[in-house]
Amino acid sequence: MEEYRIEHDSMGEVKVPADKLWGAQTERSHENFLIGVGIETMPREITRAFGYLKKAAALANNSLKPEKLTAEKLSAISTACDEVIGGRLDENFPLVVWQTGSGTQSNMNTNEVIANRANQIAGKKLCHPNDDINMSQSSNDTFPTAMHIAAVVEVEDKLFPAIDTLVDTFRRLEKENEGIVKSGRTHLQDAVPISFSQEISGWRTSLERDKEMISSTLPYLKQLALGGTAVGTGLNAPKGFDTLVAQKVSELTGRNFVTAPNKFHALTSKDEITFTHGALKALAADLMKIANDVRWLASGPRDGLGEIHIPENEPGSSIMPGKVNPTQCEAMTMVAVQVMGNDAAVGFAASQGNFELNVFMPVIAYNFLQSVRLLAEAMLSFNKNCAVGITANKEKMHHNLHNSLMLVTALNPYIGYENAAKTSHLAYEKNISLKEACVQLGFLTAERFDEVFHPEQMVGD
C-alpha cells in the first residue's frame, strides 16, 4: 500500500506520495492533467534550467534582501538546486507539457521540490516554496527564462558539437576524393561535370552556414525575462534584481546572459525562440537535402546511380534476401520532417501572446528542445553509421560522366550553342557518342574533337 503525507496550499489539503519531494500544487497538476503521462513529460532540460534559475535567484535575493533570504537558507537552497541541475531529483518532476500555458505548475513543482529538499538538508522547516524559492519571481517570468536558458545550453552544448562532427567528416571526404570527376545533375537530369570533392564541399558549407545562422540568433535568447514578475512591471522584486540575477545565471552556466531590456516584451512575445527555431528549420532543410543526395548517389546497387558506397548496417527487407537500404538517410529525413512540423507548432504558439502573457510556452519549449535533440542525435548517428564510411565508386562515376550528353556544353565555344544542341539530340536519338554525332554532322573532325573535348577540365579549380 502506497504511503502518503498531507500537504496543503491555498485551496486546502492534498495527499502526496510520501517518497516524493513535490507538494500540493504539483500533486493537483499531476492529477488534473492526465495527458501524455510518462511520454510528454516537461523536458529535463527545462528542469535543469530551473535549477540554475532558482539558485541564481537565491543568490541575488541574499545579496539584495539578506534579512529574508538568509545565508542559512541560501546554503540549503543552493545545495538543493545543485541536485536539480545534476539530475539527481528528476523523479520528483512528474508534470506533463500539457498543463497551464504559463508553465505555472512546473514553476511550482520546482519551488516545492527545492523547498522540501532544502528543508531535508537543513534538518528543519526552513524554506517555503513561495516565500523563499519563488522570492522576487513569478511563473510568468521564470518559465520564459528557463526556456531561454535551456535553449541556449542545448544548442551550444549538444547541437553545435554534432554539426562540427559531421562537418569534420565531410572535410575529410573532400580531401580523400580530390580529383575525382563525375556528372553533375540539375532537375534530376544530367548536367555538366563536377568533382566529387566539390559536391561534398557544398554539403559541408551548408552545415557551416547553418551553424553561423543559428549562432547569430543566440544573443536574443540570452536576454532573460526574470525580474519582470507577473506582468513585466517587476512588482515585488527589489531594485536591481533583474540585472543581478542575470549576472548570477551567467556565472552558473558559463554563458553571457543579460536582463531583457523590456520585460513587457519578454513576457508576452516569443519571437526570439521562434527566430532561432527558424534557423533550426534551415538546418533541417539542408540535412534533408544532404541525406537525399547520399541515398540517390548510393541507389542501386545495379539499377540505380550507384556512384557511392555507403555502409551496410542491417538487412533491408523481410522478403527480399540481400537487400540493404539507406536507413540512416531515411532516419535523417524523418527527423527533418519532424523539425519542420515543430517549426509550425512553435510559430503558431508564439502568435498567441494575449495582452501581458503568452500562454503557449510549454509546447514551445517542448517542440524547440525536441528539435535540438533530434537534429543533434540524427547528425551523430548519420555521421557514425553512414557518412564516415562513404566511398566513391570511381568506375561508375567515370562511366556516367562519359555517357552524359551534357558534356556537349564543352563544345559551345567551338561549334556554337545550336550546333551543340543538334549534336546532343543526334547522339541521343541514335544512341551514339557525342564524338560520332559531331563528326557525322560535320561540325568537327575527329582529331579536332579530341583536341577540345576534355570533360575532366570542365570542373574549374
Side-chain angles (χ1 to χ4, degrees):
M1 182 177 179
E2 191 170 7
E3 295 184 357
Y4 294 89
R5 70 177 188 277
I6 300 298
E7 291 273 355
H8 75 276
D9 57 15
S10 60
M11 296 181 69
E13 294 184 343
V14 179
K15 286 184 177 181
V16 175
D19 62 338
K20 296 298 187 288
L21 290 171
W22 68 71
Q25 292 194 51
T26 303
E27 185 61 28
R28 290 188 193 279
S29 179
H30 192 36
E31 295 173 2
N32 291 338
F33 294 95
L34 301 177
I35 310 169
V37 176
I39 300 172
E40 287 146 352
T41 304
M42 186 63 67
R44 290 295 170 240
E45 297 90 344
I46 292 292
T47 302
R48 287 191 285 276
F50 263 116
Y52 286 122
L53 183 163
K54 296 298 179 179
K55 183 173 182 178
L59 289 165
N61 281 320
N62 172 253
S63 177
L64 297 170
K65 297 160 62 172
E67 73 283 358
K68 290 189 176 181
L69 205 297
T70 64
E72 183 183 20
K73 289 181 179 180
L74 175 62
S75 177
I77 291 170
S78 294
T79 300
C81 287
D82 288 341
E83 293 181 1
V84 171
I85 295 166
R88 295 191 291 278
L89 303 181
D90 280 355
E91 65 178 12
N92 294 283
F93 293 89
L95 301 188
V96 294
V97 172
W98 318 110
Q99 54 169 280
T100 179
S102 62
T104 298
Q105 289 141 6
S106 281
N107 179 47
M108 283 308 305
N109 186 179
T110 306
N111 292 333
E112 290 173 345
V113 169
I114 293 174
N116 284 332
R117 180 62 185 133
N119 291 339
Q120 287 181 351
I121 293 166
K124 61 181 178 180
K125 192 79 170 179
L126 179 67
C127 296
H128 187 278
N130 299 83
D131 295 337
D132 297 306
I133 315 304
N134 202 59
M135 185 186 297
S136 309
Q137 306 153 61
S138 163
S139 298
N140 296 353
D141 66 347
T142 59
F143 197 90
T145 296
M147 189 162 62
H148 277 207
I149 293 171
V152 170
V153 169
E154 292 306 298
V155 165
E156 291 186 341
D157 288 0
K158 182 174 286 186
L159 185 67
F160 285 171
I163 294 175
D164 292 342
T165 297
L166 190 51
V167 164
D168 288 344
T169 294
F170 286 150
R171 186 175 287 110
R172 173 180 62 79
L173 289 174
E174 282 178 64
K175 293 179 180 178
E176 291 177 359
N177 290 282
E178 286 179 356
I180 300 175
V181 180
K182 62 186 288 294
S183 178
R185 295 179 178 86
T186 60
H187 304 271
L188 295 182
Q189 304 294 307
D190 300 343
V192 296
I194 186 174
S195 73
F196 189 33
S197 61
Q198 289 172 330
E199 191 166 44
I200 297 169
S201 77
W203 301 342
R204 171 184 56 78
T205 302
S206 293
L207 297 182
E208 290 174 333
R209 180 57 53 83
D210 289 326
K211 182 182 176 183
E212 291 171 0
M213 290 190 292
I214 296 167
S215 183
S216 74
T217 72
L218 295 187
Y220 303 107
L221 281 181
K222 290 178 180 178
Q223 296 182 5
L224 303 181
L226 206 56
T229 65
V231 295
T233 61
L235 180 67
N236 290 344
K239 183 177 178 58
F241 175 80
D242 57 349
T243 302
L244 182 56
V245 78
Q247 177 187 323
K248 297 301 182 183
V249 171
S250 299
E251 292 171 0
L252 293 172
T253 61
R255 272 93 174 166
N256 185 30
F257 288 100
V258 297
T259 190
N262 188 304
K263 305 300 189 299
F264 307 105
H265 163 83
L267 266 59
T268 194
S269 175
K270 302 299 122 194
D271 54 3
E272 298 93 349
I273 201 160
T274 305
F275 183 42
T276 303
H277 199 281
L280 297 181
K281 181 174 69 172
L283 172 60
D286 280 333
L287 290 172
M288 172 76 83
K289 189 269 183 192
I290 292 168
N292 276 334
D293 281 359
V294 169
R295 63 176 170 179
W296 271 107
L297 290 172
S299 61
R302 292 186 175 177
D303 295 335
L305 296 179
E307 291 189 347
I308 65 173
H309 300 294
I310 59 176
E312 298 181 350
N313 297 321
E314 59 272 317
S317 173
S318 61
I319 190 174
M320 294 174 280
K323 194 172 191 294
V324 179
N325 297 329
T327 53
Q328 291 294 320
C329 298
E330 292 166 5
M332 180 76 86
T333 54
M334 286 191 289
V335 164
V337 167
Q338 182 65 52
V339 172
M340 292 174 189
N342 287 351
D343 191 69
V346 168
F348 281 123
S351 73
Q352 299 304 303
N354 301 126
F355 303 114
E356 278 65 62
L357 187 66
N358 178 290
V359 290
F360 283 70
M361 287 188 287
V363 73
I364 292 173
Y366 177 74
N367 280 277
F368 184 97
L369 293 169
Q370 184 193 54
S371 291
V372 172
R373 175 174 51 80
L374 289 178
L375 288 168
E377 292 177 359
M379 280 188 287
L380 292 176
S381 179
F382 179 80
N383 181 74
K384 177 183 177 182
N385 299 301
C386 182
V388 296
I390 290 175
T391 57
N393 185 342
K394 298 177 185 179
E395 294 76 17
K396 190 65 181 289
M397 286 182 177
H398 184 271
H399 170 79
N400 289 344
L401 172 66
H402 286 269
N403 200 41
S404 172
L405 297 177
M406 289 306 99
L407 296 180
V408 77
T409 306
L411 301 178
N412 283 1
Y414 306 99
I415 64 176
Y417 180 92
E418 291 191 8
N419 286 340
K422 291 176 182 177
T423 299
S424 176
H425 286 303
L426 181 65
Y428 178 69
E429 290 166 5
K430 291 192 173 184
N431 195 26
I432 58 178
S433 69
L434 289 172
K435 179 178 179 179
E436 291 171 316
C438 190
V439 171
Q440 281 188 26
L441 290 168
F443 297 143
L444 291 174
T445 65
E447 293 76 18
R448 180 58 176 160
F449 184 94
D450 290 339
E451 288 177 10
V452 303
F453 189 72
H454 300 288
E456 283 75 11
Q457 298 177 8
M458 295 173 68
V459 299
D461 296 328

